[in-house]
Amino acid sequence: MRQNSNSLVVVANRLPIDDSVAPDGACEWRRSPGGLGSALHPLLRHTPAAWVGWAGGTGPAPRLPDIDGVRMHCVALTAEDLRDHYEGFANATLWPLYHDAVEQPVYHRRWWEAYQRVNQRFAEAAAAVAEPGGLVWVQDYHLQLVPGLLRALRPDLRIGFFLHVPFPPPELFMQLPRRAELLRGMLGADLIGFQRAQAAHNFAQLVVKVLGLPATDRRIGVDDRVVRVGAYPVSIDTAEMAALAGRPDVTARARRLRHDLGDPQQVILSVDRMDYTKGIEQRLKAYSELLASGDVKVRDTVLVQVAVPSRERVGQYQILRDRVEREVGRINGEFGRVGEPAIHYLTQPFDRAELAALYRVADVMAVTPLRDGMNLVAKEYVAARVDDTGALLLSEFAGAAAELEQAYLVNPHDLEGLKQMLRTALRAGPDDVGDRMRAMRAHLHRHDIRAWARSYLSALDQTGSLVTRLGSTG
Ligand code: ADP
Ligand code: G6P
């Protein structure tokens, strides 16, 4: 069948929207803050596309409006699916395992059954929506079986798979009781994309070891097909963030925020989902020790920690939130003064303008995950620093570190190293900070979300027509 690349179907666990209550009490849908939605939103706005995903919650699928011209197809999850697929196999088995097992992965046979069942439902929904010969782009660790299931249902489609999180080394992946099925599921795709070359290498090694297939880091032979593999580091809409951050109202808001923070000499900012991979506890410990030693003083320096609660019914996330909140309370109790907390702790979701204002107010941005597929917050901060100021303290274990080499790079497991690098970033002179920021900003202007989509989709789309259209969106 002829390839019809005029249509693109994105399949992801989440639709890029959340429901919320408008000021007048009505229910409204808005763009959700997650990394994946943020990453793909600017691309799909310019492409005739459909998105197959879950709208959050359980029960019958809600009827959804198109968002920015993208048709939303909702896959319904039952309470059992939510518990065993999303909270279970996806976020208590795969997520910790893929992030270096910084928390212990949990294995339950019931969770695997739910993973298969829900992947089948997503594959059927995508098969029903995709045009003959169309492109389907499956996203992330929740849906690793979908490429294989979809190929069985619709061999006419061209199927891509992209993993936003790290893909672990063989020693870790080999723990998975259903490792062979997961690899085979991914191999249903024509092109498998990872954030980093190391992940592609890990995958190829596992395919040889577990499935005995001929594989290099770039090509894998499966039956009579060749599956291509590659690294495509995801990015952000750099120009959009820069334009937002440079808006007069955002600049004024940043000034106001600094004033409200007590006009300190230095503002340190961290913005994370509340997740044990983000290294929040290690960062708080480093900060607390710097306060205790007098290297950092409360009136001169403040830390703003934004931590949006996430996956709140998963035990490991509840424990983390309790520990973080106890530690923030302890640090404020010990080092804060009336009207002058050491840490401003915020758990609210913010709109993009408010986030941009926060980025503009931050003299030092501390992004210190223990492991992260990419970390878009680091890239957003760089894009927002339109005057080439600001120091980015960045974990070596974030995918972003491979690109933002001029950041103040740090190993977040090394507490002394973390304290030292935070001190260095706080005391860095304007020339050093400016040189680093300029280089990182130039990189992000070349490697933005459109460059990412273009490079992935041009590898997937053999006719090139979708990519031509992407090129014309500017
Ligand atoms: P992850 O995908 O693991 O959550 P990323 O850093 O890659 O981490 O992506 C997080 C995304 O969520 C970014 O686009 C960031 O702007 C957004 N985000 C994080 N915290 C908030 C918040 N409090 N309000 C709104 N958006 C947020
Ligand atoms: C990471 C994952 C995404 C996920 C996002 C938010 O970025 O790679 O697939 O959507 O976190 O997590 P959540 O569990 O709220 O979807």
Side-chain angles (χ1 to χ4, degrees):
M1 167 146 341
R2 211 168 62 79
Q3 196 188 321
N4 170 10
S5 332
N6 283 326
S7 70
L8 174 65
V9 177
V10 173
V11 187
N13 182 57
R14 262 188 203 281
L15 290 166
I17 52 174
D18 274 335
D19 58 338
S20 64
V21 179
D24 63 0
C27 180
E28 64 177 20
W29 294 96
R30 61 172 188 194
R31 194 174 137 200
S32 64
L36 180 56
S38 304
L40 291 180
H41 173 84
L43 156 67
L44 296 182
R45 225 173 24 190
H46 297 294
T47 311
W51 189 308
V52 173
W54 168 59
T58 54
R63 211 174 246 288
L64 298 172
D66 291 2
I67 306 253
D68 294 339
V70 181
R71 289 179 56 203
M72 298 285 149
H73 293 270
C74 182
V75 176
L77 294 189
T78 64
E80 204 180 16
D81 297 332
L82 180 70
R83 186 190 65 204
D84 293 346
H85 171 263
Y86 172 73
E87 293 166 351
F89 199 79
N91 285 314
T93 304
L94 294 178
W95 179 270
L97 185 74
Y98 285 12
H99 289 85
D100 287 353
V102 293
E103 285 287 343
Q104 182 66 39
V106 180
Y107 303 108
H108 286 305
R109 285 166 287 185
R110 197 182 64 236
W111 290 359
W112 170 250
E113 282 158 26
Y115 191 78
Q116 287 176 295
R117 176 173 78 234
V118 170
N119 272 250
Q120 181 69 36
R121 204 173 305 147
F122 273 82
E124 283 168 9
V129 169
E131 287 183 23
L135 293 181
V136 178
W137 194 2
V138 182
Q139 312 285 328
D140 231 354
Y141 60 100
H142 318 81
L143 301 176
Q144 279 170 244
L145 301 178
V146 168
L149 296 167
L150 185 57
R151 181 168 295 281
L153 292 168
R154 291 285 305 272
D156 59 298
L157 297 173
R158 191 128 184 99
I159 303 170
F161 179 78
F162 186 82
L163 190 71
H164 290 255
V165 299
F167 191 79
E171 318 72 278
L172 277 178
F173 190 84
M174 290 302 281
Q175 284 187 16
L176 265 177
R178 310 311 288 259
R179 59 205 184 192
E181 284 100 319
L182 276 172
L183 295 174
R184 268 194 225 104
M186 290 167 79
L187 288 170
D190 295 291
L191 175 66
I192 302 176
F194 295 99
Q195 302 276 24
R196 300 185 69 163
Q198 182 61 49
H201 178 67
N202 293 345
F203 181 73
Q205 277 189 306
L206 277 158
V207 164
V208 174
K209 192 177 166 88
V210 177
L211 303 180
L213 294 173
T216 68
D217 292 4
R218 304 180 73 88
R219 297 167 82 82
I220 297 170
V222 187
D223 307 325
D224 54 350
R225 299 184 299 124
V226 171
V227 177
R228 282 173 306 140
V229 178
Y232 301 87
V234 74
S235 196
I236 58 160
D237 192 337
T238 312
E240 184 187 64
M241 177 50 84
L244 186 60
R247 256 174 29 189
D249 59 322
V250 172
T251 309
R253 176 70 188 140
R255 221 175 289 125
R256 176 84 211 164
L257 277 170
R258 181 173 279 275
H259 178 70
D260 291 348
L261 290 168
D263 282 320
Q265 288 163 21
Q266 303 260 38
V267 176
I268 307 171
L269 173 68
S270 287
V271 176
D272 308 282
R273 255 185 325 99
M274 179 71 81
D275 196 297
Y276 49 81
T277 59
K278 302 290 182 184
I280 301 171
E281 289 186 277
Q282 287 75 1
R283 196 186 303 143
L284 290 178
K285 188 158 177 54
Y287 191 60
S288 160
E289 290 195 10
L290 288 174
L291 285 166
S293 63
D295 281 293
V296 166
K297 294 197 176 53
V298 165
R299 188 183 286 276
D300 304 340
T301 305
V302 297
L303 170 63
V304 179
Q305 171 69 64
V306 179
V308 200
S310 172
R311 306 173 192 168
E312 288 176 85
R313 298 197 322 177
V314 179
Q316 290 158 330
Y317 288 77
Q318 290 168 357
I319 292 168
L320 174 76
R321 183 171 181 180
D322 285 350
R323 289 168 59 138
V324 165
E325 296 193 342
R326 201 173 321 126
E327 188 58 6
V328 169
R330 185 193 69 76
I331 295 172
N332 278 337
E334 201 168 323
F335 300 103
R337 299 192 210 134
V338 174
E340 288 175 353
I343 303 175
H344 291 256
Y345 174 69
L346 304 162
T347 57
Q348 309 133 41
F350 294 114
D351 64 27
R352 304 300 289 168
E354 185 73 0
L355 261 183
L358 280 165
Y359 291 144
R360 287 225 46 200
V361 93
D363 304 291
V364 174
M365 180 84 204
V367 183
T368 57
L370 305 176
R371 175 62 73 190
D372 211 327
M374 175 51 63
N375 197 291
L376 298 178
V377 163
K379 292 189 169 182
E380 289 169 359
Y381 175 69
V382 170
R385 301 303 300 189
V386 285
D387 55 2
D388 291 330
T389 61
L392 174 63
L393 181 74
L394 179 61
S395 164
E396 294 165 10
F397 299 103
E403 295 174 81
L404 303 178
E405 295 165 340
Q406 297 82 5
Y408 295 88
L409 292 174
V410 69
N411 170 5
H413 299 274
D414 170 9
L415 190 59
E416 282 307 317
L418 184 52
K419 285 163 61 183
Q420 178 58 42
M421 202 47 105
L422 188 50
R423 264 194 310 253
T424 304
L426 283 167
R427 290 172 192 169
D431 290 348
D432 185 38
V433 164
D435 288 349
R436 289 168 184 256
M437 188 51 80
R438 255 186 302 282
M440 293 191 287
R441 286 173 53 71
H443 174 89
L444 280 191
H445 277 287
R446 285 193 306 275
H447 298 93
D448 67 353
I449 182 78
R450 283 188 199 91
W452 172 70
R454 215 177 282 132
S455 75
Y456 183 89
L457 290 173
S458 60
L460 178 64
D461 168 19
Q462 293 179 322
T463 68
S465 69
L466 182 72
V467 177
T468 309
R469 190 131 31 81
L470 270 175
S472 66
T473 60

